[in-house]
Amino acid sequence: MKFATKAIHAGVEPEPHTGAVMTPIFQTSTYAQEAPGKHKGYEYSRTHNPTRTALQKNLAALENGKFAFVFGSGLAATDTLLRLFRPGDEVLVTDDLYGGTYRLFVRVIQHFGLKFKFIPMQDAQSIESHITPQTKLIWIETPTNPLMNIIDIEAIAKIAKKHNITLAVDNTFASPYLQNPLDLGADVVMHSATKYLGGHSDVVMGVLITNREDLAQEFGFLQNAVGAVPAPMDCFLMLRGIKTLHLRMQRHCENGAKIAHWLRSHPRVEKVFWCGFPDHPNHEVAKRQMRDFGGMVSFILKGDDLEEAKRVMSSFKVFTLAESLGGVESLCTHPATMTHASIPKEQREKAGLKDTLIRLSVGVEDAEDLIDDLKQAIG
Ligand SMILES: *Cc1c(COP(=O)(O)O)cnc(C)c1O
């Protein structure tokens, strides 16, 4: 099946008792058993829930994976993955990443004895010198949040395989519509499904997807043993959101391209970060591993003045100043005080993230209205 058909049909069967086309919300914590241990595959909703099962099958199909496991948030998914590792294990992490992931690694998981090394990965070959016998996981995001750096998934996957290291890719920014890391050799794909997958800014959820049986066994065990599972209602909302993922992504990409080009031609704009520009440092890699360039665009104004950047962000009428991304509505974010505030300023600046950077999640509204809004806000 092709992507659009999978988005609508994968994992979703008419409900056998009534024929209901949409998967019902199985709002139950437990299931009747005929005799102790004799049941229809469902015992308790932390372990399994039919609404969640349908969603997991759907998500696995979207990433060309065999197994998917959903969690109460993107960070809960990442936290569960990190529980595969043991004190002394080392993790190589891209130095430009979502602030909450940085905070989870450094301020939570590190206390349990894992070591995290944050390094630039735009030059894939350069990471090999950081690998030690203790390196067990490579964690990448691409495009990165918020600088839209592109990391060559296939090249990193080759290095990971050579050293027997697990490669996990946070695919939140691209969504499975634009990029499928498992096809490029990654072992695990993680999504903050809160963003493009859900797409309507009404659910917080995360997912881990893999083709590896050994990892799937561990994830299934941990999903139940740790218990950071999403509610049936949220699984239903996610299934509903995903049905239009391909349509939304088409418009996100169209609008993103229009706005990136418009911003770049504006005399008051210093720099625009968007991987669709032919002079983006890894544009060729983006073209190879992505189907289009997405709706995330960051920019810096000339003069690099924080007060002026704040004035612009407070002047929008259609864009909403808010955390998050990937919803139908356009959002504007100030990474330094919002999504990336948990990364120390010094570390942020080392990775090239300035306090004056403005990040846009371009929605699916009319592009002309969005450009008019930028025009009046930037002045
Ligand atoms: C939002 C986000 C996360 C965290 O996901 P939550 O659902 O908010 O827990 C992880 N990675 C990226 C790239 C994100 O944008």
Side-chain angles (χ1 to χ4, degrees), residues 73-75 98 101 141 145 170 172 192 194-195 204-205 325:
S73 69
L75 286 177
Y98 174 61
T101 306
E141 249 181 64
N145 182 358
D170 180 340
T172 302
S192 169
T194 314
K195 316 294 169 54
V204 173
M205 194 183 291
L325 63 108

Side-chain angles (χ1 to χ4, degrees), residues 1-6 9-10 64:
M1 266 196 273
K2 300 264 197 318
F3 191 88
T5 316
K6 288 195 286 192
H9 293 290
N64 302 327

Side-chain angles (χ1 to χ4, degrees), residues 71-78 97-101 139 141 143-145 170-173 190-195 203-206 296 324-325 339-340 359:
F71 299 89
S73 69
L75 286 177
T78 304
L97 80 165
Y98 174 61
T101 306
W139 178 272
E141 249 181 64
T144 63
N145 182 358
D170 180 340
N171 202 26
T172 302
F173 261 40
M190 174 268 167
H191 281 278
S192 169
T194 314
K195 316 294 169 54
V203 191
V204 173
M205 194 183 291
M296 297 301 298
S324 202
L325 63 108
T339 48
H340 291 66
R359 190 192 79 182

